[in-house]
């Protein structure tokens, strides 16, 4: 057990900021609780594990102390002695204080190992009983510290943990640096943290501390957290349930600094009311103190200029002058000299050194001064959206003219592809709209909620809609609000079942309103009930109602939904319905929506093997939704593009796109299950099979939790495929059998929907069930022939070749595989072509004395390498290695004894006779141990034997009874 000697002093951050206890203490020092530091932890661990030292650096509040304590707790277990010190600014003038922290408690242990002069000097410095100084006893003290560390290291490894190096007293810093530079191979590791401020001074600051560290010290910089990491941090610390827009504001204001983010989260939790749209976050006093001391050094006029800058979106000196700040250049220069502003190399924008400075300045200003700043900017700003926003924030109470200008600005933001801004402006417009106006405040709130949905801010949209429903009486406003509640539920539409009767009641007999409700009922039929036929009927009914009500937008969405159902069902009307959905007049927003006609056409193109057209279509759609700021559609189109690239055999590109889609989905909380499903397929093809299994299981779990029948089958198909790639054919069969049952129950007949049939058949052959495999192939082939699904037919032929090989029909199997490979190559399915080549190579390798096997493996390797299909390349390499080891010997005495076994059973039995364990057999045959065990059970039953021993006796020609 490590001997841990600590004399750590109370630590405070700069200024008057109090570090919250839950932030300062790392729960159990578990590294999995230190969020967003995986890369930093990895680098530090690697360095410490090989006996090196680490210097953590970054600005105040970035989490250095938390990371330091976590690493120290982790590596204390492998250290004999742990020495700690944590300096403070207020005590940095006291000489030898940090040295006393480090060595004070071990002085008695090491003093006898020191020469007399060194011992006297060190005791005098640590106890303060003498007059030791660096000037008088410099060499003796330096050598004493070095000797003390060497003496401690003689008993076992030493870990020195030093926080806040910037506050070390100069004497201790000099002595520790002298020793560190001379430790050589002595088993002493330093784990230190130092505060470095801003890119301008950061390099020089940590370079100075590096020079005082062991030569092999690795500097690890802790940077800001991402928005998703800030959201996770807030949730872990008890501030869950915040709107994503609020988390976005916290991330922006904190600059990704975890301490600042937590303090802002705390202030929001303690605030009686959330900030209104357009208003900044409340900044707690603890954080204001970080900058207000420097603000007090500004002149009053300069401070007013900075307030105007803090109220603006992109302030420039010209804008500040237009807002009445005549001496803007001189006053901003004064602020820059104090470190409040930073130079912007990309333009003349007045940029605060940290977003928190701007927020604290604004929060500290009295309300009348804020309104005056906004009033000045409402005339000075050139952008109409900015002018409207400032006018709203300068105005109190209702004002129809201000409300109209804000509504116009919201429409402009919508057209510019900034739906989040449009939602904020719409809420400001509603706030300034008199109750008796037309349009009224509730109508404007609903429009803001719809913009929030487009921006991917479902929680904000849901809250706005519920607020409207508490007081709105107009049927149109109420139905639109109900639709927002349903849309915000996403795939968990079953959770809002109670909404539908209320929405139908509010819609009355108005066909326009009824169309909207029945469109959502179509989704419910599909997602909750898994009934494609019912979903198709509801969508068709919604389209007819929308046409009667002249609601072209809902009509187009309903037709697109109907077309998707028909495509997946293999319905012959699908192309005609897509044509109706693409007919003029079009609504531009619907045309590029992920549930619009463009998306339906993409799905039809992919299923019809027109991959080049599908790629062009989805790339165009992705570009358009990005231009319009349609967050949810962007997530889906990235996933669609990843799917297209995967079919085309571009596994590396597919993996990049799938990961990007999943990252965006997690950041926005949109389509995470679908994103995990596609990422699992991409990982299985071009990444990490273990990660593929994790993602596929996540996708299944999310679909089951949401009651999502549509994506459950897709997620299970991904899980089955990932298991097959990982070598667990039994698990693949279990997952894919469920897919078969679910799709049969849902009325899905088009095998191009999930393309899982070939995987199921292959897995069934590997688990010794070729009859069921052939049934899957024949049923799927009938549908594929009816619908003209060429790639599916080729994959089914590849699977049938495995069945034929299992039956011993080698020539027929080779013919099937050769044909399948050629057709897949012609259709552009690169990965499936490579899989056919691999199967062909394995088939040739089973024929002893054939030279073509090695050549076939070379061809499979070439094709998989072209696809960047790393997991498949590993499988080929393993197969080649197994082949080079030679085939298992055939049983000598009973050559006909295994004749009645299937191919997989013969292989397993032969390897058992060779003496291989179940785990070794599983590795050789790319199956799981459970599959080997199940196969052996069938072998025993067929041969009338009871154990492995009996199999070995058969090989030797002996009796088994």
């Amino acid at each position: 057990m490590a001997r841990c000697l600590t004399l750590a002093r109370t630590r405070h951050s700069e200024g008057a900021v109090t570090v919250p206890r839950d932030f300062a203490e790392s729960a159990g020092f578990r590294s999995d609780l230190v969020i967003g530091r995986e890369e930093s932890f990895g680098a530090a661990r690697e360095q410490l594990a090989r006996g090196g030292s680490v210097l953590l650096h970054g600005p105040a509040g970035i989490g250095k102390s938390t990371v330091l304590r976590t690493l120290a707790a982790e590596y204390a277990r492998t250290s004999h002695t742990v020495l700690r010190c944590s300096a403070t600014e207020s005590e940095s003038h006291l000489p030898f204080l940090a040295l006393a922290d480090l060595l004070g408690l071990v002085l008695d242990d090491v003093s006898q190992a020191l020469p007399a002069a060194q011992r006297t000097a060190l005791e005098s410095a640590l106890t303060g009983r003498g007059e030791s100084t660096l000037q008088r006893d410099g060499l003796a003290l330096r050598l004493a510290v070095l000797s003390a560390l060497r003496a401690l290291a003689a008993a076992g490894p030493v870990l020195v943990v030093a926080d806040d190096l910037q506050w070390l007293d100069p004497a201790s810093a000099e002595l520790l640096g002298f020793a560190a530079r001379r430790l050589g191979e002595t088993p002493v590791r330093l784990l230190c943290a130092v505060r470095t401020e801003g890119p301008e001074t950061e390099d020089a600051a940590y370079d100075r501390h590096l020079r005082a560290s062991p030569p092999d010290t690795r500097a690890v910089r802790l940077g800001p957290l991402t928005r998703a990491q800030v959201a996770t941090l807030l949730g872990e610390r008890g501030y869950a349930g915040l709107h994503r827009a609020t988390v976005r504001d916290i991330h922006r204001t904190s600059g990704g600094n975890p301490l600042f983010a937590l303090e802002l989260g705390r202030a929001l939790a303690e605030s009686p009311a959330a900030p209104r749209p357009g208003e900044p976050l409340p900044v707690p006093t603890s954080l204001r103190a970080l900058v207000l001391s420097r603000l007090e050094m500004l002149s009053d006029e300069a401070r007013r200029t900075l307030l105007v800058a803090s109220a603006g979106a992109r302030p420039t000196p010209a804008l500040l002058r237009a807002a009445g700040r005549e001496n803007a250049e001189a006053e901003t220069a004064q602020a820059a000299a104090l470190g409040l502003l930073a130079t912007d190399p990309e333009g003349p924008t007045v940029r605060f050194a940290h977003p928190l400075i701007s927020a604290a300045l604004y929060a500290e200003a009295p309300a009348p001064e804020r309104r005056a700043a906004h009033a000045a900017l409402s005339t000075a700003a050139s952008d109409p959206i900015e002018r409207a926003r400032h006018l709203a924030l300068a105005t109190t109470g209702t004002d129809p003219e201000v409300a109209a200008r804000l509504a116009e600005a919201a429409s402009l933001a919508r057209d510019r592809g900034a739906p989040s801004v449009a939602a904020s402006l719409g809420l400001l417009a509603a706030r300034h709209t008199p109750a008796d106006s037309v349009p009224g405040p509730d109508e404007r709130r609903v429009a803001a909620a719809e913009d929030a949905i487009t921006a991917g801010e479902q929680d904000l949209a849901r809250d706005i809609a519920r607020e409207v429903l508490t007081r709105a009486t107009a049927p149109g406003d109420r139905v639109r609000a109900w639709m927002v509640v349903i849309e915000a539920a996403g795939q968990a539409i079953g959770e809002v079942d109670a909404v539908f009767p209320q929405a139908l009641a509010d819609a009355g007999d108005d066909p326009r309103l009824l169309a909207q409700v029945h469109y959502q009922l179509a989704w419910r039929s599909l997602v909750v009930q898994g009934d494609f036929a019912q979903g198709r009927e509801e969508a068709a009914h919604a389209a007819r109602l929308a046409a009667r009500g002249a609601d072209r937008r809902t009509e187009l969405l309903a037709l697109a939904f109907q077309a998707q159902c028909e495509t997946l069902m293999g319905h012959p009307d699908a192309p005609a319905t897509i044509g109706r959905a693409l007919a003029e007049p079009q609504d531009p927003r619907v045309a590029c929506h992920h549930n619009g006609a463009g998306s339906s056409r993409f799905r039809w193109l992919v299923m019809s093997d027109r991959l080049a057209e599908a790629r062009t279509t989805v790339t165009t759609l992705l570009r358009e939704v990005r231009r319009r700021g349609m967050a949810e559609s962007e997530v889906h189109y990235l996933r669609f593009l990843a799917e297209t690239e995967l079919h085309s055999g571009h596994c590396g590109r597919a993996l990049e796109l799938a990961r990007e889609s999943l990252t965006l989905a997690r950041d926005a909380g949109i389509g995470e299950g679908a994103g995990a499903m596609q990422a699992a397929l991409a990982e299985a093809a071009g990444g990490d099979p273990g990660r593929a299994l994790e993602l596929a299981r996540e996708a299944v779990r999310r679909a089951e939790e949401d009651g999502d029948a549509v994506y459950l089958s897709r997620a299970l198909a991904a899980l089955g495929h990932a298991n097959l790639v990982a070598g667990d054919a039994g698990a693949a069969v279990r997952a894919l059998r469920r897919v078969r049952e679910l799709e049969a129950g849902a009325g899905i007949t088009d095998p191009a929907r999930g393309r899982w049939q070939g995987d199921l058949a292959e897995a069934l052959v590997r688990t010794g069930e070729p009859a069921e495999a052939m049934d899957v192939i024949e049923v799927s082939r009938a549908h594929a022939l009816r619908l003209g699904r060429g790639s599916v037919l080729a994959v089914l032929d590849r699977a049938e070749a495995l069945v034929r090989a299992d039956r011993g029909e080698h020539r027929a199997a080779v013919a099937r595989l050769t044909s399948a490979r050629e057709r897949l190559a012609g259709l552009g399915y690169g990965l499936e072509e490579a899989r056919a080549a691999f199967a062909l190579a394995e088939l040739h390798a089973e024929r002893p004395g054939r030279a073509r096997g090695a050549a076939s493996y070379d061809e499979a390797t070439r094709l998989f390498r072209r696809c960047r299909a790393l997991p498949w390349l590993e499988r080929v390499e393993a197969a080649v290695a197994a082949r080079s080891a030679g085939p298992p010997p055939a049983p000598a005495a009973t050559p006909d004894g295994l004749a009645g076994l299937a191919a997989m059973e013969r292989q397993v039995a032969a390897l058992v006779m060779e003496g291989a364990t179940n785990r070794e057999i599983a590795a050789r045959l790319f199956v799981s141990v459970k599959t080997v065990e199940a196969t052996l059970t069938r072998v025993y039953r067929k041969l009338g034997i009871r154990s492995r021993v009996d199999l070995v006796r058969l090989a030797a020609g002996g009796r088994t009874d």
Side-chain angles (χ1 to χ4, degrees):
M1 180 176 292
R3 198 170 104 219
C4 185
L5 302 167
T6 307
L7 185 61
R9 303 193 182 283
T10 305
R11 176 177 179 270
H12 301 281
S13 291
E14 65 184 357
V17 177
T18 301
V19 179
R21 185 176 182 81
D22 61 353
F23 185 85
E25 297 299 330
S26 150
F29 301 117
R30 281 172 47 198
S31 59
D32 60 324
L33 294 183
V34 183
I35 293 159
R37 300 302 182 199
E38 294 80 4
E39 186 175 345
S40 302
F41 262 102
R45 279 197 183 104
E46 178 184 345
Q47 180 74 355
L48 291 169
R50 64 181 184 83
S53 297
V54 171
L55 177 65
L56 304 169
H57 64 98
I62 205 67
K64 300 181 300 299
S65 296
T66 303
V67 172
L68 181 100
R69 285 193 298 272
T70 307
L71 286 167
E74 185 172 321
Y75 283 91
R77 293 191 291 270
T78 60
S79 301
H80 184 267
T81 304
V82 179
L83 307 175
R84 301 176 189 264
C85 71
S86 184
T88 63
E89 183 179 14
S90 61
E91 297 172 337
S92 61
H93 66 287
L94 300 174
F96 306 120
L97 184 60
L99 192 65
D101 281 356
L102 289 170
L103 298 177
L105 294 181
V106 297
L107 181 59
D108 292 342
D109 296 344
V110 300
S111 60
Q112 296 307 312
L114 305 181
Q118 294 179 23
R119 181 169 61 250
T120 300
L122 185 60
E123 288 177 347
S124 177
L126 297 185
T127 62
R129 288 195 294 268
E131 297 295 330
S132 179
T133 65
L134 275 180
Q135 287 73 25
R136 195 183 74 181
D137 301 320
L139 181 59
L141 269 176
R142 287 171 170 82
L143 292 175
V145 173
L146 178 59
S147 298
L149 290 174
R150 285 174 174 165
L152 289 170
V158 176
L159 177 65
V160 178
V161 183
D163 199 3
D164 279 324
L165 285 185
Q166 74 278 1
W167 302 134
L168 249 64
D169 62 276
S172 295
E174 168 63 25
L175 293 172
L176 188 59
F178 175 88
R181 291 190 295 271
R182 290 163 176 80
L183 285 169
E185 299 300 319
T186 307
V188 177
R189 293 175 294 183
L190 271 67
L191 174 58
C192 306
V194 63
R195 179 183 304 174
T196 50
E197 300 291 349
E200 293 84 1
T201 60
E202 187 174 55
D203 288 347
Y206 83 78
D207 274 349
R208 174 166 52 87
H209 290 285
L210 268 180
R211 287 194 295 272
S213 302
D216 67 342
T217 299
R218 180 169 185 172
V220 177
R221 181 179 183 275
L222 299 184
L225 301 181
T226 66
R227 185 169 70 173
Q229 290 165 349
V230 165
T232 303
L233 175 67
L234 291 167
E236 289 285 346
R237 299 301 191 271
Y239 306 125
L242 296 171
H243 285 168
R244 286 186 173 82
T246 303
V247 173
R248 179 192 62 210
D249 290 343
I250 289 176
H251 178 255
R252 183 180 64 244
T253 303
S254 69
N257 185 298
L259 173 60
F260 298 169
L262 286 171
E263 287 291 282
L264 291 167
R266 188 191 302 273
L268 279 170
E270 295 173 354
S271 176
R276 293 188 294 185
E279 292 183 346
L281 297 174
V283 179
T285 303
S286 59
L287 292 185
R288 295 186 201 181
L290 282 173
V291 296
L292 292 183
S293 58
R294 280 179 282 175
L295 285 172
E296 290 173 357
M297 301 172 67
L298 288 173
S299 66
D300 290 343
E301 290 302 310
R303 187 165 177 166
R304 290 191 187 97
T305 296
L306 286 196
L307 175 60
V308 175
S310 72
R314 290 172 298 278
T316 63
L319 176 65
L320 295 175
R321 286 195 304 273
R325 309 310 304 163
E326 297 177 357
N327 299 315
E329 282 88 349
E331 289 158 355
T332 53
Q334 182 187 356
L338 292 172
L340 294 167
L341 297 179
T343 304
D344 191 338
E346 298 181 0
T349 303
V350 175
R351 184 167 62 86
F352 285 89
H354 192 282
L356 186 63
I357 297 174
S358 173
L361 174 63
Y362 189 93
E364 187 70 10
E369 289 187 19
R370 295 188 205 173
R371 287 196 293 272
H374 286 296
L377 288 168
S378 69
T379 57
S382 59
D383 185 82
I385 292 177
E386 278 299 293
R387 288 200 301 271
R389 184 179 75 86
H390 289 301
L391 180 61
L393 295 174
T395 305
T396 57
T398 60
D399 187 320
E401 182 179 347
V402 171
R405 285 185 59 182
L406 285 164
E408 291 172 6
S411 178
L412 181 57
R414 200 175 299 125
D415 291 340
R416 287 182 180 178
S420 181
V421 174
S424 177
L425 292 167
L427 287 175
L428 284 170
R431 194 174 97 200
H432 289 287
T433 300
D436 56 352
S437 292
V438 178
D442 285 332
E443 185 175 348
R444 283 179 167 152
R445 286 190 184 93
V446 173
E450 292 168 345
D451 284 325
I453 285 283
T454 302
E457 297 174 4
Q458 272 77 355
D459 43 8
L460 174 62
R462 186 187 302 112
D463 285 355
I464 297 170
R466 286 174 176 165
E467 180 186 355
V468 169
L469 289 165
T470 59
R471 57 170 176 256
T473 57
D477 292 344
R478 291 187 62 80
V479 170
R480 284 175 67 190
W482 288 126
M483 296 305 99
V484 168
V485 171
I486 295 169
E487 286 280 352
Q491 296 299 118
I493 192 172
E495 296 178 1
V496 293
D497 259 357
V499 164
F500 288 99
Q502 300 176 72
L504 285 169
D506 283 331
D509 58 0
D510 187 330
R512 187 182 184 90
L513 300 180
L514 284 170
Q516 297 177 44
V517 182
H518 280 280
Y519 171 67
Q520 295 294 350
L521 281 169
W523 276 105
R524 183 189 176 280
S525 298
L526 190 63
V527 174
V528 178
Q529 297 172 288
D531 190 334
F532 277 72
Q534 178 63 29
R536 174 180 178 269
E537 290 302 318
E538 285 283 5
H541 182 46
R544 291 191 293 270
L545 286 168
R548 281 174 47 199
D551 180 0
R552 183 61 173 163
R553 178 182 185 278
T554 302
E555 182 185 8
L556 290 169
L557 285 170
L559 286 170
F561 183 93
Q562 180 184 343
Q564 292 237 33
C565 287
E566 290 172 350
T567 298
L568 297 174
M569 293 168 64
H571 197 287
D573 289 350
T577 307
I578 291 174
R580 290 172 60 199
L582 290 170
E584 295 296 336
Q586 282 290 314
D587 182 320
R589 294 182 184 279
V590 174
C592 64
H593 193 275
H594 61 277
N595 287 326
S599 176
S600 297
R601 184 170 182 273
F602 161 79
R603 177 60 53 205
W604 182 80
L605 288 168
V606 167
M607 294 173 69
S608 301
D609 297 329
R610 295 162 66 172
L611 295 181
E613 289 180 71
R615 182 185 293 106
T616 300
T617 298
V618 74
T619 301
T620 302
L621 290 168
L622 178 60
R623 187 183 306 116
E624 182 63 14
V625 298
R626 279 176 166 166
R627 187 184 71 81
R628 292 180 177 274
M630 299 168 69
E632 184 173 6
S633 293
E634 181 180 0
V635 168
H636 287 293
Y637 286 140
L638 280 168
R639 179 166 54 83
F640 291 174
L641 187 54
E643 177 187 353
T644 308
E645 298 296 355
L646 197 56
H647 287 320
S648 302
H650 305 150
C651 299
R653 175 64 174 152
L655 188 58
E656 292 172 3
L657 290 164
R659 286 174 175 172
E660 183 181 357
S661 175
L662 182 57
T663 298
L664 288 177
R666 294 202 194 288
D667 190 29
I670 299 169
E672 292 181 72
M677 177 271 298
Q678 188 61 50
L681 292 171
E683 291 284 355
D688 178 0
R691 178 64 176 152
L693 284 169
E694 292 175 11
L695 289 165
R697 291 183 187 119
E698 177 192 342
V700 171
R701 175 180 55 78
R702 287 183 179 276
E704 289 176 335
E705 289 174 353
D706 291 344
D708 183 353
V710 175
Y711 271 109
L712 178 57
S713 63
R714 295 292 304 276
L716 285 166
L719 179 59
H721 179 75
N723 274 305
L724 185 64
V725 174
D728 193 343
V733 167
R734 290 191 294 275
L736 295 173
R737 276 176 176 160
R738 284 188 66 192
V739 178
R740 192 181 189 191
E741 294 168 4
L742 286 169
E743 292 204 351
I748 300 173
T749 61
D750 194 331
R753 189 242 181 178
R755 299 175 184 270
W756 49 266
Q757 297 82 2
D759 283 346
L760 176 55
E762 179 178 339
L764 286 166
V765 172
R766 292 189 178 278
T767 55
E769 299 170 86
E772 184 182 345
M774 203 61 218
D775 179 65
V776 171
I777 291 167
E778 289 172 349
V779 171
S780 303
R781 181 178 283 144
H783 292 302
L785 283 168
R786 175 175 60 87
L787 297 167
R789 304 304 191 216
S791 63
V792 173
L793 288 167
V795 168
L796 293 173
D797 279 356
R798 185 185 70 205
E800 184 179 345
L802 301 180
V803 176
R804 289 182 178 273
D806 185 75
R807 294 173 179 169
E809 302 171 14
H810 181 83
R811 184 172 298 177
V814 169
R816 287 271 180 182
L817 281 173
T818 303
S819 172
R821 180 191 162 183
E822 291 172 354
R823 283 179 286 147
L824 288 166
L827 291 168
Y829 285 79
L831 182 58
E832 298 294 351
E833 177 197 357
R835 287 181 64 181
F838 183 29
L840 198 58
E842 289 184 303
L843 200 58
H844 286 312
E846 291 177 5
R847 306 278 286 184
R850 296 293 184 97
R852 291 182 59 195
S856 296
Y857 278 128
D858 289 343
E859 179 64 4
T861 298
R862 182 185 70 81
L863 292 173
F864 282 133
R865 186 172 290 125
R866 184 183 68 184
C867 294
R868 291 177 59 189
L870 302 183
W872 289 99
L873 277 170
E874 291 174 3
R875 289 189 61 170
V876 175
E877 290 169 2
V880 171
R883 182 176 184 274
S884 64
T894 57
D896 298 327
L898 306 183
L901 302 180
M904 170 67 76
E905 294 166 350
R906 287 197 304 274
Q907 288 177 306
V908 170
L911 288 168
V912 168
M913 293 172 176
E914 188 182 326
T917 66
N918 286 2
R919 188 169 297 279
E920 289 168 343
I921 295 170
R924 287 280 295 273
L925 300 180
F926 305 110
V927 296
S928 69
V929 174
K930 289 183 178 178
T931 298
V932 173
E933 293 169 350
T935 304
L936 274 175
T937 300
R938 291 194 300 274
V939 169
Y940 298 158
R941 185 175 65 249
K942 290 182 178 181
L943 297 181
I945 60 178
R946 292 186 295 273
S947 68
R948 297 170 66 94
V949 174
D950 292 341
L951 262 180
V952 174
R953 285 175 178 166
L954 276 175
R959 294 176 57 85
T960 61
D961 53 9

